[in-house]
Amino acid sequence: MASAYNPIYTDVPEKDVFALHFLQTLSNLRTQNSFSSPDNKTSDRVKKIKKAAYVSMARAAGGTNRLWSRSLLHQAAKRNNKNVRFLRRKRRVTWLMRRRSNRGDPIEDVAAERLRNLVPGGGGMETSKLMEETAHYIKCLSMQVKVMQCLVDGLSPK
Amino acid sequence: MDLSVLERVKWLQQQQMVSPEFFEILGSDGREELKRVESYLGNNNDEWQSFRHYETIDGCISRTSSFQMEQVKNNEENRATALQHKRKTEGKTEKIENKKNKKIKTEDETESSMKGKSNMSNSETSSEIQKRDYIHVRARRGEATDRHSLAERARREKLSKKMKCLQDIVPGCNKVTGKAGMLDEIINYVQSLQQQVEFLSMKLSVLNPELDYHINELSTKQFQACFTDLPEAVSKQSMMVDASSFPLQHQESLDYSVINSIQTTTLGSKDQTSSGWEIHSQSLYNNLRTDSDSSFFSLK
């Protein structure tokens, strides 16, 4: 499996990198609001941890090289009211969508729509590019799940 | 003309119409097949002569199919017919071809031999016109040969190639066939992964107080382990190799380079805390490493 030829470039860094980034973002979270309100509602905390998980995954997996990670980081930055970048992407989106509507294979289009809703940043991509992004996204997601599982197992009372 | 099919291929090769790879593709058994086919068709001169009188390609096809024997495999048979047609249609279609940008050769093919044919045609056409850099696509019989449908077909083939790669990644995708089923499987897999992340983050939030307690020394311990104790790092590397299931490139270099860049910024501030919590963090660190094996099996 390690030597399988994959025309899509989907190499994902090791688990250590993911673990590192995840712990870093968690510690950032902790330093951000440790003294403000220690009794957070669980739903808020869950959301924060989830967001931290996704952001750390995006950063670990390739920063701004990948489309999905870029859009994830973009969303997170927007929520924090930081500067919004990559505005000029909107132009390309409309052109691509017009081109896509002309030749549509109905079977794959419906499923591709659903996939686009799932994978972040999938709105403005051709179907073939979407497949690459999905492959990379799946690999990174499973890495992230493994890291979190390890952490939970390590911290849970024995 | 009394040339056998084989000799014709050699003649073509001499004329540098056919690349030598094409000849190898035929292989030794291919040549035998050619000889067999030729014997079926008979070495009658008048048979060959009558072929040449046929104007349309369709006529030739109907002619040759009558000679088809059951033992002859589809591939070789069509390859032989391709040879003949190539010889015949060369003179006619040369002018037409030169006008078109994409090199399209309309011939009859069965669906099964499509792939082998396209490879051969690619090598043929690419050797014929060396300087052109276009995608050589072969149109199937009965299909339109205008640019749009060809581009559409090329796009579809690219897509199917990528779907095959996805099939390798997503487990359990081999059983379902067809684009729609596979796409559904992939969507379900992505959804399940996202749900897992959410579930685990819920779990983590419950354990959060402990996490805050451990997180500091855990990160410092990781940093230290990577740089101070090289043998420990090496053993960690070997364990990671066992646990990981993805094809990874440059494991060590990526690992250390990333940690290298982060280490300089954070290690200075956290040095004083590390000594006190060493035993605790060591156990947690080991858990993180050894748990990788168990979780690897559980998540699979």
Side-chain angles (χ1 to χ4, degrees):
Chain A
M1 183 75 170
S3 58
Y5 167 64
N6 205 341
I8 309 178
Y9 174 62
T10 49
D11 281 339
V12 152
E14 249 196 83
K15 213 202 293 193
D16 279 358
V17 180
F18 279 93
L20 217 61
H21 278 90
F22 186 45
L23 291 174
Q24 264 190 327
T25 36
L26 280 180
S27 68
N28 285 344
L29 263 181
R30 188 179 69 89
T31 53
Q32 267 175 19
N33 64 345
S34 62
F35 303 114
S36 57
S37 52
D39 281 324
N40 273 343
K41 289 187 203 162
T42 42
S43 61
D44 275 353
R45 225 188 312 157
V46 165
K47 273 193 218 156
K48 283 207 174 107
I49 290 184
K50 195 166 72 153
K51 191 176 78 163
Y54 278 115
V55 166
S56 76
M57 177 174 73
R59 228 183 266 140
T64 48
N65 290 337
R66 285 277 159 174
L67 258 172
W68 63 265
S69 64
R70 206 182 309 186
S71 97
L72 255 183
L73 293 171
H74 178 65
Q75 282 170 21
K78 204 161 52 163
R79 245 179 270 158
N80 295 341
N81 296 330
K82 292 208 183 136
N83 290 335
V84 177
R85 287 147 57 189
F86 311 118
L87 256 180
R88 60 182 168 85
R89 287 212 169 252
K90 280 197 179 161
R91 273 280 169 98
R92 209 184 289 175
V93 169
T94 53
W95 178 75
L96 267 177
M97 284 180 76
R98 209 185 311 135
R99 187 168 158 230
R100 237 193 292 133
S101 62
N102 283 343
R103 40 182 164 118
D105 195 10
I107 305 172
E108 67 170 59
D109 259 2
V110 170
E113 262 316 303
R114 285 166 66 193
L115 202 56
R116 270 194 201 98
N117 292 335
L118 278 180
V119 176
M125 280 194 271
E126 276 271 29
T127 315
S128 63
K129 196 82 167 88
L130 183 69
M131 296 299 169
E132 291 185 24
E133 295 292 317
T134 312
H136 195 256
Y137 184 61
I138 288 176
K139 276 192 179 173
C140 294
L141 258 185
S142 39
M143 269 304 191
Q144 183 73 22
V145 162
K146 276 188 194 170
V147 163
M148 291 173 76
Q149 185 76 43
C150 284
L151 215 53
V152 165
D153 287 343
L155 289 176
S156 59
K158 302 199 174 80
Chain B
M1 295 253 276
D2 207 357
L3 297 173
S4 70
V5 176
L6 208 54
E7 285 166 303
R8 272 188 208 160
V9 173
K10 285 186 190 149
W11 179 83
L12 282 173
Q13 201 177 4
Q14 282 166 15
Q15 304 284 326
Q16 286 172 358
M17 297 280 189
V18 175
S19 64
E21 299 123 28
F22 173 62
F23 215 55
E24 280 168 11
I25 288 171
L26 280 184
S28 57
D29 44 352
R31 274 180 231 146
E32 274 178 20
E33 283 294 333
L34 283 176
K35 285 184 190 157
R36 218 201 309 170
V37 168
E38 164 201 80
S39 65
Y40 288 149
L41 299 167
N43 272 330
N44 308 337
N45 290 345
D46 37 3
E47 292 279 0
W48 285 116
Q49 299 282 347
S50 59
F51 275 171
R52 278 199 278 125
H53 287 311
Y54 277 93
E55 293 298 329
T56 62
I57 298 174
D58 287 355
C60 299
I61 294 164
S62 59
R63 205 56 218 233
T64 54
S65 58
S66 63
F67 288 102
Q68 187 174 1
M69 303 290 182
E70 291 79 31
Q71 303 95 310
V72 179
K73 291 178 213 159
N74 250 349
N75 282 342
E76 275 80 20
E77 224 281 325
N78 284 338
R79 251 186 253 148
T81 56
L83 271 178
Q84 297 161 24
H85 293 308
K86 187 174 159 32
R87 277 282 296 119
K88 245 177 276 299
T89 60
E90 242 171 43
K92 285 180 222 160
T93 59
E94 241 177 25
K95 297 173 208 162
I96 311 170
E97 275 176 4
N98 287 338
K99 287 179 194 164
K100 291 188 187 165
N101 279 336
K102 290 195 180 177
K103 292 306 160 191
I104 306 153
K105 287 200 176 172
T106 58
E107 298 188 32
D108 72 310
E109 293 170 336
T110 55
E111 298 261 342
S112 57
S113 60
M114 176 64 186
K115 253 194 186 165
K117 286 290 260 281
S118 58
N119 284 341
M120 282 169 21
S121 71
N122 281 346
S123 60
E124 281 174 43
T125 52
S126 57
S127 60
E128 272 184 23
I129 304 102
Q130 292 106 352
K131 285 162 197 165
R132 307 281 173 120
D133 210 17
Y134 299 98
I135 302 170
H136 297 286
V137 193
R138 181 155 271 195
R140 296 188 201 152
R141 181 185 181 178
E143 231 182 53
T145 59
D146 50 331
R147 294 180 61 128
H148 294 298
S149 49
L150 277 170
E152 178 74 26
R153 204 148 59 92
R155 175 182 159 267
R156 258 184 278 147
E157 277 168 10
K158 241 196 334 181
L159 203 59
S160 61
K161 216 179 12 168
K162 301 214 167 120
M163 298 269 284
K164 281 206 188 93
C165 294
L166 266 179
Q167 218 178 10
D168 297 333
I169 294 176
V170 175
C173 219
N174 305 326
K175 292 140 195 168
V176 195
T177 48
K179 260 194 300 188
M182 254 171 44
L183 277 172
D184 281 340
E185 272 295 322
I186 291 169
I187 288 171
N188 286 337
Y189 190 62
V190 169
Q191 270 174 341
S192 75
L193 278 179
Q194 282 176 342
Q195 278 169 8
Q196 262 182 334
V197 168
E198 181 156 354
F199 176 64
L200 283 173
S201 65
M202 259 202 302
K203 260 193 171 178
L204 268 182
S205 70
V206 168
L207 298 169
N208 209 10
E210 292 181 38
L211 185 69
D212 297 340
Y213 182 69
H214 288 312
I215 197 168
N216 240 347
E217 62 277 2
L218 184 62
S219 44
T220 52
K221 189 60 187 171
Q222 263 187 341
F223 293 140
Q224 284 183 348
C226 290
F227 291 108
T228 56
D229 311 327
L230 270 182
E232 188 184 307
V234 166
S235 66
K236 166 199 77 156
Q237 201 68 38
S238 58
M239 254 205 273
M240 289 309 295
V241 167
D242 295 338
S244 68
S245 64
F246 298 123
L248 295 169
Q249 257 184 2
H250 311 300
Q251 291 176 8
E252 306 114 15
S253 58
L254 186 65
D255 217 1
Y256 291 120
S257 63
V258 167
I259 297 177
N260 236 332
S261 55
I262 305 172
Q263 178 242 356
T264 50
T265 55
T266 54
L267 196 56
S269 58
K270 293 187 180 173
D271 246 0
Q272 60 270 21
T273 61
S274 64
S275 56
W277 318 110
E278 267 194 20
I279 306 168
H280 233 305
S281 55
Q282 176 79 44
S283 61
L284 200 54
Y285 184 70
N286 285 336
N287 277 338
L288 194 65
R289 291 295 159 250
T290 53
D291 275 346
S292 61
D293 287 351
S294 59
S295 65
F296 168 75
F297 289 117
S298 66
L299 282 175
K300 195 146 175 148

